[in-house]
Amino acid sequence: MSRPDRMPWGFVAALSVTQLVSYGTLFYAFALLIEPMERDLGWSKSALTAAYSLALVSSAFFAVPVGRLIDRGYGRAVMTGGSVLAAILLAFWSQVGDYALFLLIWIGLGASMSAVLYEPGFAVLALRLGFQARRGITVMTLIGGFASTVFIPLTHVLIEAYGWRGSLLLLAALNLVICAALHVVSIPKAAARPARRSEPEPSAARSDPRRVLSKPSFWCFVAMSVFQGFISTGLPIHLIPLLAERGFSLESAVIAYSVIGPAQVAARFATGFGERALSLRAIGVVTMAMSTLGFGLLPFIPAGSWLLIVFALLYGASNGMLTIVRALLPQELFGREDYGAIQGMIAMPVRLAQSAAPFAFGAIWAWWGSYQAVTILCFVMALGSFIAFVLNLVVAKDS
């Protein structure tokens, strides 16, 4: 970057496009591939979704080493390698007929996710952009937020035209031709440290990411992230049946669900480009308050009420703002050094919680006999995330 005050928009746009494709092919396409695979191979939905959960567990264990490699300047190799690995494994998946091999492929795809999704992308952006990272990350999440909008219909069209095996080969090609190529071209071979505003050189002690493990504020931030990650992964799968059980029509449930995505995008835009209005810490408090308010409201919304849209707006906006808070606030709380490794340390328990959430929500529904307990759990976790975040700010201020 020749001028520290000039945003390298080409670099930001390239990484944003790779997020769109990576999330679309590795995260969203799976939902459309379940039914044709079940029909063709005879594997149950639970067996297929178990492989996806295994990938989230795998990605959790690769998160910290990937972050450390990015901190050391290997972002280009990490993200390019992750995209190449994704392409190879998607191609193998297209030929799979053995369930044990299918599980191994998804363990590998978990490693690929840890190298190409938001956390590594945030780390590469933060290393290159420094204090300009807020706008870069906002653009990345805005473009990445359209992954489901683009790839759910695209994957459906591909399956209809080429079958699930042919579709996977085409999705593999996208990872190679778009993602790997853009990572090679756009990410510097050894990412240079951004220009800093009269910051002292970090001491050797500060360069160790394990220093945050002794900070209560770190564990409060992790608790908040785990609670929100559990909700954001478990609830979308169960939201429509939850609303149907409460007496809402399918049309009302679908309309409410469709509001969540635009609310996320609008909130990310407002968060990223409204930095002069609110600090990141204040935005975090608002984010947790909106989540708590939404889940506090949900049990009291009668069937057919327009208040369901209010819940969807609160939930979607909170999710959208949380992405940026989780990306940027760790720098403010724990320093810019070792940002990638610290993000990996936060991502590890979050991914483990996300891998368990869909099954946990289903088990709670089966045990309770209704979604009432799930609704209560979401409120308790949203309230817990609010308390943990406020405590995080208090102890961070005192430390």
Side-chain angles (χ1 to χ4, degrees), residues 226-300:
V226 167
F227 289 151
Q228 289 292 329
F230 194 90
I231 294 171
S232 66
T233 305
L235 185 67
I237 294 173
H238 294 273
L239 182 58
I240 288 180
L242 183 155
L243 294 175
E245 181 184 275
R246 291 181 52 81
F248 288 93
S249 67
L250 179 60
E251 291 78 10
S252 297
V254 169
I255 289 171
Y257 203 116
S258 67
V259 167
I260 293 172
Q264 287 184 156
V265 172
R268 285 172 183 169
F269 185 87
T271 301
F273 294 96
E275 65 258 34
R276 295 182 181 179
L278 287 175
S279 68
L280 271 174
R281 300 181 187 216
I283 289 170
V285 172
V286 171
T287 300
M288 299 305 115
M290 291 173 69
S291 177
T292 306
L293 179 60
F295 285 108
L297 177 66
L298 182 59
F300 302 101

Side-chain angles (χ1 to χ4, degrees), residues 61-216:
F61 287 101
F62 283 101
V64 175
V66 162
R68 298 202 69 150
L69 286 171
I70 292 174
D71 288 334
R72 293 172 183 173
Y74 297 106
R76 178 181 179 184
V78 165
M79 298 198 77
T80 303
S83 294
V84 171
L85 178 63
I88 292 170
L89 291 173
L90 288 171
F92 282 165
W93 178 6
S94 74
Q95 306 304 310
V96 76
D98 179 75
Y99 184 68
L101 179 59
F102 180 63
L103 293 179
L104 289 175
I105 287 170
W106 272 97
I107 291 173
L109 284 172
S112 174
M113 289 178 184
S114 71
V116 299
L117 297 184
Y118 274 150
E119 285 85 1
F122 293 158
V124 168
L125 274 180
L127 189 64
R128 174 87 186 271
L129 303 182
F131 60 84
Q132 293 181 312
R134 181 167 179 167
R135 289 197 173 184
I137 286 173
T138 299
V139 171
M140 175 183 280
T141 57
L142 284 173
I143 294 176
F146 287 101
S148 62
T149 305
V150 173
F151 275 87
I152 286 180
L154 174 61
T155 305
H156 173 72
V157 169
L158 292 177
I159 292 171
E160 289 293 311
Y162 303 105
W164 69 269
R165 294 185 187 274
S167 300
L168 282 167
L169 287 173
L170 292 170
L171 296 178
L174 292 179
N175 277 274
L176 195 62
V177 174
I178 296 178
C179 296
L182 285 177
H183 288 150
V184 168
V185 171
S186 65
I187 303 174
K189 188 174 183 180
R193 296 281 180 179
R196 302 196 179 183
R197 294 175 170 174
S198 304
E199 293 180 6
E201 287 296 316
S203 65
R206 286 186 59 203
S207 67
D208 183 0
R210 291 173 296 181
R211 70 184 186 275
V212 301
L213 297 177
S214 62
K215 294 178 178 289

Side-chain angles (χ1 to χ4, degrees), residues 1-7 131-132:
M1 195 162 50
S2 58
R3 290 174 53 190
D5 60 338
R6 184 175 181 181
M7 177 71 77
F131 60 84
Q132 293 181 312

